[in-house]
Amino acid sequence: MTYTAIVMYPNNEDTQFDDSYYIKTHMPLAERTWKKYGLISWRVTKFPRALDGSRSQYLIMATLEWENEESLKSALQDPGSAGVFGDIPNFSNVQPVTLAGSELQV
């Protein structure tokens, strides 16, 4: 069963986020670093507004799909992971909130 990691960047009034750098540089860095551990795919969604038109709580959400939970855990142990997380100040002035889990089955 696949395993999902979510990375969400808060949408504070002073949040700065370089969308272009994130898509063209940061996410490919993450893919190069983690693909060998079972990263299947990634996608990024931008949420400037909530459904009611107000400021959304989170501006950017990256969804990373993994082969399984163990593949994500192994990837995070790679020395290159420090470079992935250390790259955050190059595109944003906020730290992300992270979540990980699997799809509920009925």
Side-chain angles (χ1 to χ4, degrees):
M1 177 183 308
T2 60
Y3 197 71
T4 303
I6 303 290
V7 182
M8 300 179 299
Y9 290 86
N11 190 17
N12 306 324
E13 285 191 30
D14 64 342
T15 294
Q16 297 172 8
F17 199 94
D18 185 337
D19 298 359
S20 179
Y21 183 94
Y22 192 66
I23 292 292
K24 295 178 181 176
T25 304
H26 181 75
M27 291 308 296
L29 169 64
E31 183 175 23
R32 282 191 310 275
T33 304
W34 294 332
K35 190 169 184 79
K36 63 188 170 209
Y37 294 100
L39 176 63
I40 298 168
S41 66
W42 58 268
R43 66 185 178 281
V44 176
T45 306
K46 187 170 186 175
F47 301 103
R49 299 273 170 228
L51 289 176
D52 65 3
S54 65
R55 174 189 298 275
S56 64
Q57 186 173 0
Y58 296 97
L59 179 62
I60 297 289
M61 179 181 76
T63 305
L64 296 88
E65 292 292 329
W66 297 85
E67 290 176 1
N68 52 50
E69 183 177 1
E70 293 73 30
S71 62
L72 170 57
K73 288 179 179 180
S74 294
L76 293 176
Q77 297 304 311
D78 185 287
S81 292
V84 174
F85 294 111
D87 189 45
I88 293 171
N90 291 324
F91 60 84
S92 185
N93 65 333
V94 295
Q95 288 296 308
V97 172
T98 58
L99 301 168
S102 56
E103 186 176 332
L104 287 176
Q105 300 294 313
V106 182

